[in-house]
């Protein structure tokens, strides 16, 4: 896939620290949308949060834009093809991808974004921008027909990345889990980004945004990436 027209903002999270919902992300979101003020919101990652409530939550956090939920459209595919911008929220990545397949909109989103329509995701909505959802942090509460995702990036994402290890916790760390993936998939890097940061794919370039470093896991290696670092090599 060529990345010529892609304009994709992949936020690690909807919150940073104890800030209010989308507060840290709002400047990045509005800048990414440029003059666009109508967005199609995909709430499919919401499980315990009802989709109407999810739309209202995003609308309140982004008063500058008009937010329409895809679930209210008579034809979800037509809603995607006519959208000015596509926004996908967080929640459970497995449910998100399951619903994208069930509503047959995955390919429509791929084509729409490849043609230059702005895309914004956070958490699960960012996770699906990679090759697959095999590096999500979520429980597989539902089985999508495939783990293959949007593929805007030919690598993997791990949003909400943390290297914190709770005292007396004997389960695998996030690094352990990511090394398991790269051990079995040594040629597929994983871009791990901390809460408050984002990956921006635009104008043929991939850049880490925000004030926090992240990491690239590849094979048995873990390499730091810094804010504003050019990561375009991971598009190949």
């Amino acid at each position: 896939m060529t990345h010529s027209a892609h304009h994709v903002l992949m936020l690690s999270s909807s919150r940073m620290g104890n800030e209010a919902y989308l507060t840290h992300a709002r400047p990045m979101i509005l800048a990414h949308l440029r003059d666009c003020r109508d967005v199609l919101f995909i709430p499919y990652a919401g499980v315990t949060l009802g989709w109407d409530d999810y739309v209202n939550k995003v609308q309140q956090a982004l008063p500058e834009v008009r937010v329409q939920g895809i679930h209210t459209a008579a034809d979800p595919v037509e809603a995607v093809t006519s959208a000015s911008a596509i926004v996908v929220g967080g929640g459970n990545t497995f449910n998100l991808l399951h619903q994208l397949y069930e509503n047959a909109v995955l390919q429509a989103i791929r084509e729409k974004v490849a043609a230059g329509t702005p895309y914004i995701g956070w958490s699960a909505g960012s996770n699906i921008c990679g090759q697959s959802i095999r590096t999500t942090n979520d429980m597989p509460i539902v089985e999508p027909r495939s783990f293959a995702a949007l593929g805007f990036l030919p690598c993997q994402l791990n949003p909400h990345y943390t290297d914190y290890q709770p005292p007396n916790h004997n389960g695998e760390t996030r690094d352990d889990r990511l090394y398991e993936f790269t051990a079995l998939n040594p040629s597929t890097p994983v871009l791990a980004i901390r809460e408050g940061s984002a990956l921006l794919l635009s104008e043929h370039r991939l850049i880490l945004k925000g004030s926090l470093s992240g990491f690239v896991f590849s094979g048995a290696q873990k390499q730091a990436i810094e804010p504003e670092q050019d990561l375009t090599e991971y598009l190949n």
Side-chain angles (χ1 to χ4, degrees):
M1 178 183 287
T2 60
H3 302 271
S4 54
H6 285 79
H7 185 55
V8 178
L9 179 64
M10 294 158 274
L11 297 149
S12 176
S13 57
S14 59
R15 285 189 174 88
M16 184 177 184
N18 55 11
E19 290 181 0
Y21 190 68
L22 292 179
T23 296
H24 84 279
R26 212 168 111 219
M28 283 191 279
I29 289 172
L30 295 175
H32 193 75
L33 288 173
R34 298 172 181 160
D35 297 332
C36 173
R37 288 296 175 263
D38 287 285
V39 305
L40 179 69
F41 181 66
I42 299 179
Y44 294 158
V47 178
T48 54
L49 176 63
W51 292 349
D52 288 339
D53 292 336
Y54 203 164
V55 170
N56 292 337
K57 185 177 183 178
V58 174
Q59 180 66 81
Q60 287 172 15
L62 301 173
E64 300 87 348
V65 301
R66 287 178 292 276
V67 182
Q68 180 205 346
I70 191 173
H71 64 293
T72 64
D75 182 344
V77 173
E78 199 280 326
V80 169
T81 56
S82 61
S84 303
I86 297 168
V87 178
V88 184
N92 185 279
T93 310
F94 291 93
N95 198 56
L96 169 59
L97 192 58
H98 172 67
Q99 292 291 340
L100 290 173
Y101 276 111
E102 289 301 297
N103 289 283
V105 292
L106 205 67
Q107 186 58 28
I109 295 171
R110 284 193 194 110
E111 292 171 3
K112 186 72 172 168
V113 176
T117 298
Y119 178 103
I120 298 166
W122 55 85
S123 190
S126 295
N127 202 284
I128 60 169
C129 293
Q131 238 183 23
S132 78
I133 65 166
R134 289 176 294 157
T135 49
T136 178
N137 308 312
D138 300 338
M139 285 192 176
I141 58 172
V142 65
E143 185 176 0
R145 62 185 70 173
S146 169
F147 289 160
L150 289 167
F152 300 148
L153 304 179
C155 53
Q156 293 286 127
L157 271 74
N158 181 249
H160 297 283
Y161 173 78
T162 177
D163 44 17
Y164 174 72
Q165 186 169 7
N168 305 317
H169 174 74
N170 297 308
E172 284 81 0
T173 63
R174 182 71 55 82
D175 284 24
D176 291 336
R177 292 299 191 202
L178 295 177
Y179 281 130
E180 287 176 344
F181 175 86
T182 56
L184 295 181
N185 303 274
S187 62
T188 305
V190 183
L191 304 180
I193 56 175
R194 297 183 191 274
E195 293 185 348
S197 59
L199 292 167
L200 175 63
L201 170 60
S202 194
E203 298 177 351
H204 309 272
R205 296 180 70 209
L206 181 67
I207 297 171
L208 179 65
K209 307 299 286 186
S211 59
L212 301 173
S213 60
F215 293 96
V216 178
F217 289 79
S218 185
Q221 303 297 314
K222 177 187 179 183
Q223 181 181 349
I225 52 177
E226 301 303 330
E228 299 303 318
Q229 184 171 336
D230 191 322
L231 304 170
T232 306
E233 63 186 285
Y234 297 104
L235 298 181
N236 302 320

